Amino acid sequence: MRITPRSHEIKNVVDILEDPTFDGPEALAKAVIKEVGDMLQMRDLFVMVHTWADGTKGLNFGPFGAPAEAETFAKKMSFGGTGRVVPLTSSGIALANTEGKENWPGYCYAEGCGHAPWSHAIDGASRGGCRLEVCNCNRFVKDDPAKKAKKTTAKRGVAKGVNEL
């Protein structure tokens, strides 16, 4: 399975690697493996479902990170029969949609919430408070508050050290 790391996933692993509180390399490795496993559960995955030419159930392969990856695999293997790419329902996403997934892109960044956008009421053009009884969130926070972009003003004029032509 091809995995393209996402920026928030890299940040989470780097945070673990830079944490000085681990009691040795085994504990650090365990934390990294657990974190990567949690990340993979939050991905949409696909399988190749195969049927032999006589119509009997064939071989099933996966998971794949994208339909194109599954199709490329099938062309290289040439088993015969027919195949279809089928999406898997992610257990991590299903759990995150019911229990919440704090500090995860696409989910609410409000303190103690972490629920999916659709669990928040519509409030005009934006999303209001969380509709779940177990949550006290009063406004959907779309972006990570710790990652606010700093606004810089552009300076006018020619940059120093640039030769004019």
Side-chain angles (χ1 to χ4, degrees):
M1 181 169 76
R2 292 191 181 111
I3 300 170
T4 304
R6 298 170 181 163
S7 61
H8 65 277
E9 295 171 338
I10 293 169
K11 180 192 172 304
N12 289 354
V13 172
V14 168
D15 288 346
I16 292 171
L17 293 173
E18 292 178 342
D19 187 345
T21 61
F22 287 101
D23 297 332
E26 290 84 9
L28 179 62
K30 183 178 178 181
V32 168
I33 291 168
K34 189 174 181 179
E35 181 67 26
V36 170
D38 287 347
M39 290 174 188
L40 292 176
Q41 278 191 313
M42 292 298 292
R43 295 219 177 185
D44 291 324
L45 299 174
F46 303 86
V47 293
M48 174 63 70
V49 178
H50 173 254
T51 304
W52 293 111
D54 65 2
T56 59
K57 291 181 183 177
L59 307 166
N60 299 323
F61 299 95
F64 297 99
E69 184 183 354
E71 292 165 3
T72 301
F73 169 81
K75 288 176 186 172
K76 288 180 181 177
M77 299 307 290
S78 64
F79 292 111
T82 59
R84 280 189 8 205
V85 177
V86 178
L88 293 175
T89 300
S90 167
S91 58
I93 293 173
L95 285 171
N97 287 342
T98 51
E99 296 176 354
K101 184 81 172 173
E102 289 190 50
N103 302 319
W104 193 262
Y107 292 81
C108 184
Y109 278 95
E111 181 88 23
C113 183
H115 294 108
W118 52 262
S119 68
H120 291 73
I122 298 296
D123 185 15
S126 61
R127 296 199 177 267
C130 194
R131 296 178 296 155
L132 302 175
E133 292 179 14
V134 297
C135 189
N136 295 324
C137 170
N138 58 9
R139 168 108 17 243
F140 180 78
V141 180
K142 180 180 179 180
D143 298 315
D144 185 355
K147 196 178 155 186
K148 287 192 178 182
K150 294 179 182 177
K151 291 185 179 181
T152 57
T153 56
K155 294 183 180 180
R156 293 183 181 178
V158 178
K160 291 182 181 177
V162 177
N163 295 329
E164 291 185 31
L165 298 175

